[in-house]
Amino acid sequence: MCESRPLNSQSMVATLTSTPPSFLPLWRRKVPTFNPTQCLGTGKEALEISSNGYIKTNTTGFPEKGISTRPGTSSTPRPPRPRRIILVRHGESEGNVDETVYTRVPDPKIDLTEKGKAEAEECGWRIREMIEKDGANDWKVYFYVSPYKRTLETLRHLGLAFERSRISGMREEPRIREQDFGNFQDREKMRLDKALRLRYGRFFYRFPNGESAADVYDRITGFRETLKADIDIGRFQPPGEQSPNVNLIIVSHGLALRVFLMRWYKWTVQQFEGLNNMGNGNLIVMQKGYGGRYSLSMHHNEEELREFGLTDEMLIDQEWQKTARIGELNYDCPMVNSFFPHFEDEGCIT
């Protein structure tokens, strides 16, 4: 275990007079090639462990440097995208059945109910059944989870469906936490605030001492960029593996997951406000389409997506996502045609 100890003033003086290289001021030191504080042996060994199999083709130790999207190059090819991104809402919590819990228990520490634990475990088996229908033998799952107690408990029970060899990793991610409603809650005041939110607008209304959905959008944007970078470099792949059968599972909260979808698919504020919360322990699946992009229509039927709140325009876009290639833009986007009414005079279909 790596350990460092503070120096008192006397020992510091003695240390500086003897001037061992490791305690010289930074400006007087010769910077080593690798960080001298290693828990994993030599710097080269640390790179071999952490570079996800890229060390042979990329001596810098940064897997991002060895990735190329251009065909015909000698660089390491871009890792395959995960087959799915599965969004899971936590199981039923004590706050879902008794709102007074929020007045005495911090929101991040609220437990699941027994029903919520059962919902989470059932969700895990549903996910496993879905993955096994692919017929692949090398499939794995990788988890991102909110640090709230109810989401961590959901992950633990959901994970009962997977043996260790199927889990390639997990990361606790604070940016996908629940919307902040303002610390301990006054029940009557919260009812008033929620009523005001409906009048003001579900996206822009900010709870006193808390967040608006727009605030959540900002931190979800940062998480999305991290997620895309992880996908691009295959950070969730076991070292040396390049499997297209990895499934990412994001265990989070109702509003945070709706905002995630809004950010990913560039839905408008009006479209977001028409979405419905998924039930506790339920999931929404973004599955890789024929061109490499993720579409909700690859897994869900029209009825399911309409129940979630997708409009005709959003459904048309999901159909386009099924066959579109990465980097393509939808120049026939129905939302563009409907936003500018004068296009009707030019014969554009809205």
Side-chain angles (χ1 to χ4, degrees), residues 126-138:
R126 286 170 58 195
I127 292 173
R128 177 162 188 142
E129 182 182 6
M130 172 175 54
I131 294 173
E132 288 182 336
K133 286 181 179 179
D134 297 334
N137 295 322
D138 63 341

Side-chain angles (χ1 to χ4, degrees), residues 190-204:
M190 184 56 64
R191 287 180 178 177
L192 175 61
D193 288 335
K194 289 183 177 180
L196 289 173
R197 178 176 61 174
L198 292 177
R199 291 173 52 194
Y200 192 90
R202 292 169 61 194
F203 187 73
F204 292 112

Side-chain angles (χ1 to χ4, degrees), residues 300-349:
H300 300 280
N301 59 40
E302 179 180 338
E303 181 180 355
E304 291 172 332
L305 294 179
R306 286 193 183 278
E307 184 178 352
F308 183 56
L310 270 67
T311 63
D312 289 342
E313 293 171 350
M314 297 161 78
L315 290 169
I316 291 171
D317 181 64
Q318 289 303 313
E319 286 298 316
W320 176 82
Q321 301 276 352
K322 287 172 66 172
T323 56
R325 291 176 294 182
I326 300 171
E328 285 186 342
L329 296 176
N330 187 1
Y331 287 99
D332 294 322
C333 175
M335 188 173 68
V336 174
N337 294 337
S338 62
F339 186 84
F340 297 101
H342 68 278
F343 286 169
E344 296 179 3
D345 299 332
E346 300 178 15
C348 293
I349 299 175

Side-chain angles (χ1 to χ4, degrees), residues 40 56 73 111 129 187 195 227-228 280-281 297-298 326 347:
L40 298 171
K56 294 181 180 179
T73 61
D111 292 297
E129 182 182 6
R187 188 178 183 185
L227 179 62
K228 290 188 68 176
N280 292 114
S297 296
M298 289 294 296
I326 300 171

